[in-house]
Amino acid sequence: MSEKAPMTFEETMARLEQIVADLEGGKQTLEQSIKSFEEGIALGKQCREFLNQADLRVRQLLEAADGTFAEGDGPDDER
Amino acid sequence: MFPAEETVFEVSELNALARELLEGEFGSVAVTGEISNLRTYASGHVYFKLKDAAAQISAVCFQREARALDFEAEDGMQVVARGRVTLYDAQGQYQLVVREMVPAGRGELERAFRILKEKLQAEGLFDSARKRALPEYPRCVAVITSPTGAAIRDIFSTLQRRFPCVEVLFVPVQVQGDAAPAQIVRALDAVSAHADPDLVIVGRGGGSIEDLWAFNDEAVARAIHRCSHPVISAVGHESDFTIADFVADVRAATPTMAAEIAVPDRSELLRHVGTIEQALALRIRSQVESTRRRVTALLTSYALGQVRGRIERAMQRADHLSARLASGNRSRVRELSLHAQLLVRRMTGVGPRVERTRVRANELERRILRAGSTGARERSLVLGALEGRLAGLDPRAVLMRGYSVCADARSGRIIDSSAGALGARDLRITFHDGAVHAAVDGPAAEGGQA
């Protein structure tokens, strides 16, 4: 598990499932299992933090008079 | 003045006769005209005139039928009304009792809809084989709809409630009127070119077939078809399908439902993550336990007891020899005791592993406590208990009983064979109270294998 790009939520969930499968496979040494466990706990925490994010982020794609589109901030009247 | 034989009607009689005549003659008719003087009474009945350039007729649409209209009738609107020609006796007024009414041109719209639907169907635009699956956990959802309608509010609030970690790329467009189709097409193409979204919701709230017409536009259908991201259509309220619904990868009956389909429910996901964490803790616990059982079995094994006896005998022999060779070969004595140590080392090789496990368990507990979730805290109690048991297997306890650990003095590697010891030359022997250095002279004559 390289630490290059941050994993997407999908990748994080897939990795978590893989870790559980590895541990359930029972083929790992204790040392490897403890590493997997720690990684799993850390990923679980990441997932929780991600899911508990409070507010929807809204950006707008607006059409200019010449028909091109450019990105702007979300609508002002956002709750 | 009147011929005697002439019939003289009461007014009621005449009106009744005229009504029968009208109703019998016309039955049900369809009339097209412009609505004027429209008034809705508290009863819910709607009264108006239908007129053209030269003439007009009174019309009434009773509450039951008025409620069923799928558009807002108003003055100036061209409509086709179907109903019964009759006469309102009380006022002697000829009128149309409207059963059904649609905006003029509805027939053409419906025909155009059918033709376009058949055409696109024949081209394969609706084929279920080409429908794309929606991503399970989208990072970004593009939403193409009106900035002012209820649709955008419903979509935002549903996304906020279910999965607020998603990002929204909102493209405001007109969803009604002549400019709407072209705007929707340009928005779909712009979103296609945009790297961000994982899927697109395009739609609007409910309305009459005329209101929804932009979503029955051929160009809009083709733009949905060529969109590079999966598209959820979200037009109207439940019942009516638009062409956009047929082309889209997924059809949602309402904007709210589109948002529900687009993203998973975070509370379910949180529960799922919790289940995974429990499974992790369970697995690690069972593996630590089974390792502990193996270590215990080794340390209490009959084999180890036997070896201990042999070691004790070997040490006795060493003492004996050293006494006998009082002046003589001290290195030989050292060899003997070295050999005894090696034997012990082999049987207690599990010791350092137990120690490492204990250290890891310690470290793990600290991390989990830091993580702070209550579930993790419970699990750390379990691990704490395991740690206590593992501490009971501390290799130092073994050393206290008279054994020692032999390692290469330079590399620090544990040596568990005489060959290894010969290769090392300089040894570091650890006792319960400290370590000493020792040199290897050569193989021991009466060593044999333990």
Side-chain angles (χ1 to χ4, degrees):
Chain A
M1 292 81 297
S2 65
E3 291 176 26
K4 285 175 242 159
M7 285 196 283
T8 64
F9 181 71
E10 187 152 17
E11 288 164 349
T12 308
M13 288 300 285
R15 177 74 194 131
L16 258 181
E17 312 266 9
Q18 183 57 48
I19 286 171
V20 174
D22 286 349
L23 280 174
E24 286 181 343
K27 295 238 163 63
Q28 291 180 313
T29 65
L30 183 59
E31 195 77 0
Q32 287 168 329
S33 293
I34 289 173
K35 265 210 183 82
S36 295
F37 173 74
E38 289 174 321
E39 189 189 347
I41 294 295
L43 291 178
K45 191 162 166 259
Q46 273 179 34
C47 286
R48 285 178 188 287
E49 280 169 4
F50 176 75
L51 290 171
N52 283 323
Q53 188 174 299
D55 285 311
L56 207 59
R57 280 164 303 153
V58 179
R59 292 171 297 145
Q60 281 198 98
L61 199 56
L62 295 166
E63 188 176 12
D66 63 358
T68 59
F69 281 82
E71 219 176 89
D73 290 333
D76 295 336
D77 58 341
E78 209 38 57
R79 287 131 307 174
Chain B
M1 186 177 171
F2 300 109
E5 65 275 20
E6 189 177 34
T7 313
V8 176
F9 293 106
E10 300 284 336
V11 173
S12 300
E13 285 176 326
L14 181 60
N15 279 0
L17 275 173
R19 192 181 71 231
E20 279 165 31
L21 200 63
L22 278 171
E23 289 179 353
E25 193 63 35
F26 289 103
S28 178
V29 294
V31 191
T32 184
E34 181 188 323
I35 293 176
S36 71
N37 285 349
L38 182 133
R39 266 168 302 160
T40 302
Y41 281 59
S43 59
H45 308 323
V46 180
Y47 296 87
F48 56 98
K49 309 270 188 217
L50 273 183
K51 64 174 192 182
D52 60 20
Q56 66 175 32
I57 177 179
S58 292
V60 56
C61 186
F62 291 113
Q63 184 250 359
R64 203 180 128 97
E65 286 77 22
R67 264 215 327 244
L69 294 180
D70 69 354
F71 68 100
E72 200 66 47
E74 55 190 30
D75 285 352
M77 189 178 264
Q78 286 289 332
V79 295
V80 178
R82 185 172 286 107
R84 192 163 49 82
V85 176
T86 185
L87 187 136
Y88 181 43
D89 295 25
Q91 293 190 345
Q93 194 181 33
Y94 147 79
Q95 66 177 10
L96 184 71
V97 176
V98 175
R99 294 287 178 226
E100 290 175 282
M101 186 160 67
V102 294
R106 171 73 60 94
E108 282 91 280
L109 289 184
E110 281 168 353
R111 197 162 52 248
F113 176 89
R114 264 202 320 280
I115 290 168
L116 179 59
K117 188 184 161 195
E118 278 161 20
K119 175 177 161 190
L120 298 182
Q121 188 152 33
E123 281 184 41
L125 262 69
F126 305 161
D127 287 358
S128 53
R130 66 152 295 280
K131 307 263 183 209
R132 291 163 292 194
L134 301 177
E136 201 170 355
Y137 311 112
R139 289 164 300 116
C140 178
V141 175
V143 178
I144 301 174
T145 190
S146 160
T148 55
I152 189 62
R153 283 201 314 275
D154 292 348
I155 290 172
F156 279 176
S157 66
T158 305
L159 292 177
Q160 170 71 47
R161 170 170 55 79
R162 280 176 70 86
F163 202 64
C165 29
V166 79
E167 214 174 337
V168 177
L169 186 66
F170 175 42
V171 194
V173 292
Q174 284 181 40
V175 292
Q176 200 167 329
D178 294 342
Q183 273 195 23
I184 295 169
V185 167
R186 286 199 300 275
L188 279 162
D189 288 341
V191 161
S192 270
H194 207 276
D196 274 359
D198 298 303
L199 63 93
V200 183
I201 297 174
V202 59
R204 55 156 291 149
S208 68
I209 182 172
E210 289 79 13
D211 294 338
L212 306 183
W213 198 249
F215 294 89
N216 288 319
D217 184 277
E218 179 169 354
V220 169
R222 295 193 183 280
I224 290 173
H225 182 251
R226 69 171 170 265
C227 186
S228 56
H229 313 289
V231 177
I232 303 177
S233 69
V235 185
H237 283 124
E238 313 278 351
S239 54
D240 291 328
F241 274 72
T242 62
I243 299 289
D245 291 326
F246 291 117
V247 188
D249 295 285
V250 175
R251 182 243 177 188
T254 66
T256 299
M257 283 174 72
E260 282 172 357
I261 292 167
V263 296
D265 181 8
R266 75 158 149 188
S267 53
E268 263 174 41
L269 282 171
L270 283 168
R271 270 199 299 280
H272 183 53
V273 170
T275 310
I276 287 179
E277 286 169 337
Q278 274 169 21
L280 286 176
L282 206 69
R283 291 295 145 190
I284 202 73
R285 176 188 158 177
S286 80
Q287 197 173 355
V288 168
E289 284 242 52
S290 78
T291 305
R292 183 190 65 79
R293 277 196 300 274
R294 278 211 317 276
V295 170
T296 309
L298 263 175
L299 289 178
T300 57
S301 71
Y302 174 71
L304 185 62
Q306 278 218 316
V307 169
R308 195 187 301 163
R310 294 178 75 166
I311 292 163
E312 281 161 5
R313 281 196 300 282
M315 289 201 294
Q316 241 175 17
R317 204 155 65 217
D319 284 348
H320 187 54
L321 273 173
S322 78
R324 272 208 353 222
L325 307 170
S327 63
N329 193 349
R330 298 201 54 177
S331 68
R332 198 173 162 70
V333 175
R334 206 158 59 211
E335 268 167 36
L336 275 175
S337 80
L338 204 62
H339 181 67
Q341 287 155 10
L342 288 177
L343 291 178
V344 174
R345 236 314 293 155
R346 188 172 298 166
M347 297 317 294
T348 58
V350 289
R353 228 183 289 158
V354 172
E355 172 67 7
R356 278 204 302 276
T357 304
R358 199 183 64 79
V359 169
R360 294 302 297 259
N362 252 330
E363 196 186 322
L364 202 54
E365 185 185 3
R366 266 184 285 115
R367 290 195 194 177
I368 290 168
L369 283 173
R370 244 183 290 134
S373 90
T374 52
R377 208 166 272 139
E378 275 164 32
R379 289 194 294 279
S380 83
L381 289 179
V382 172
L383 284 166
L386 284 178
E387 188 215 344
R389 290 179 185 170
L390 285 168
L393 303 172
D394 191 333
R396 276 173 303 190
V398 181
L399 296 181
M400 288 292 280
R401 296 210 300 269
Y403 306 138
S404 54
V405 177
C406 181
D408 185 320
R410 270 168 298 188
S411 70
R413 274 222 331 275
I414 298 289
I415 293 171
D416 58 4
S417 70
S418 56
L422 287 168
R425 311 202 69 83
D426 291 317
L427 302 176
R428 177 187 166 85
I429 302 168
T430 306
F431 300 91
H432 72 90
D433 60 347
V436 299
H437 274 280
V440 179
D441 288 347
E446 55 275 75
Q449 93 273 60

